[in-house]
Amino acid sequence: MGILSDFEDRIGGAIEGMFAGAFRSPVQPVELARALARAADDGRSLGVALVYIPTSYTIALSAEDSAKLGTFRATLAGELATYLADHAREHGYHLHERPKVDFVVHDDLKLGRFRVSASLAEDPEHGDARDVPPQPEAAPVPGMATVTVGDLGHDVVLGGDEVLVGRLAECQIHIADANVSRRHAAFMRLDRGWAIADLGSTNGTRVNGRSIERARLRDGDVIEIGLARLVYHDPGS
């Protein structure tokens, strides 16, 4: 079982029932964990013999999401910090100190949107402060390709060369649907824009109602994976 699945199990055992009653938000703990892991990876700093990652993380939420989080904030922050420590151990990163996760409110964010930023307060070898640019997990930067997942309006920024979609918790776009294969499909970067490729899934992948093995995407294309609808957005296409 992967560390993200372990995190989900801990959340489920400790506070998931409480979330169901008090944290009715499109922002879910596993989405925050994935965003924090990406911020950690992007903030890597190479020392003489070790690879360091940030230890201080801030999650910006809308005022409404922050209110829904309520008294579970400290518990969730602790679990997210534990997940980051596990992520560092799994990837061989060095932590100068235990990760710390804080929540803040940004008035420009709408319900279901969030931002993650990270910093390494002090470089253990050089003694200077280092900041990691905010990760646009749910506040896409103009010009970047994004995918709106389902009816929640949660936008995922497409980054790197490949973004996996599937039922596995480790997939960057995780869809908890029995109709979705473990590794169902992947968004693949092209020289200009993105394509979607089916990864031999059981139930197939459809773009604008047509079954595909691989298809170049254009702004507004609707991708159907299991029961989920994903809408591709690319201002430059």
Side-chain angles (χ1 to χ4, degrees), residues 35-93:
L36 288 169
R38 284 195 289 273
D41 293 339
D42 290 344
R44 287 172 294 184
S45 176
L46 182 62
V48 175
L50 298 171
V51 177
Y52 296 92
I53 62 169
T55 54
S56 180
Y57 298 80
T58 301
I59 299 173
L61 299 172
S62 69
E64 189 172 356
D65 281 315
S66 179
K68 290 177 182 293
L69 186 57
T71 58
F72 311 125
R73 183 179 290 105
T75 302
L76 180 57
E79 290 293 349
L80 288 168
T82 297
Y83 170 75
L84 283 167
D86 291 341
H87 180 76
R89 184 164 50 253
E90 182 178 67
H91 288 78
Y93 299 149

Side-chain angles (χ1 to χ4, degrees), residues 26-27 31-32 34-35 38 109-116 135-142 144-159 163 172-174 187 219 229-235:
V27 176
E31 295 174 350
L32 299 176
R34 289 196 188 96
R38 284 195 289 273
L109 292 174
K110 298 179 181 179
L111 178 68
R113 305 284 182 131
F114 63 88
R115 294 192 188 101
V116 169
Q135 305 303 304
E137 169 66 18
V141 175
M144 296 186 71
T146 63
V147 175
T148 300
V149 181
D151 297 327
L152 298 179
H154 170 60
D155 292 345
V156 175
V157 174
L158 297 180
V163 177
Q172 290 95 327
I173 299 179
H174 172 234
F187 289 93
D219 184 48
R229 284 166 49 92
L230 292 76
V231 182
Y232 175 76
H233 305 285
D234 186 354

Side-chain angles (χ1 to χ4, degrees), residues 1-2 54 140 175 181 189 207 228:
M1 182 179 292
I175 301 176
S181 297
R189 185 186 292 277
V207 175

Side-chain angles (χ1 to χ4, degrees), residues 42-43 54 117-121 128-134:
D42 290 344
S117 60
S119 64
L120 182 61
D128 59 349
R130 301 198 175 199
D131 293 325
V132 180

Side-chain angles (χ1 to χ4, degrees), residues 161-233:
D161 294 323
E162 181 181 85
V163 177
L164 290 175
V165 184
R167 204 172 69 247
L168 282 178
E170 286 78 8
C171 291
Q172 290 95 327
I173 299 179
H174 172 234
I175 301 176
D177 175 2
N179 299 292
V180 175
S181 297
R182 291 160 62 83
R183 290 184 176 87
H184 193 107
F187 289 93
M188 297 182 174
R189 185 186 292 277
L190 305 176
D191 289 339
R192 293 178 61 84
W194 289 78
I196 184 76
D198 186 81
L199 302 179
S201 67
T202 301
N203 295 313
T205 301
R206 299 169 70 86
V207 175
N208 299 328
R210 180 174 59 88
S211 295
I212 59 95
E213 292 185 1
R214 180 184 172 100
R216 187 184 187 97
L217 295 171
R218 293 176 174 79
D219 184 48
D221 281 348
V222 177
I223 302 147
E224 295 175 80
I225 294 177
L227 300 178
R229 284 166 49 92
L230 292 76
V231 182
Y232 175 76
H233 305 285

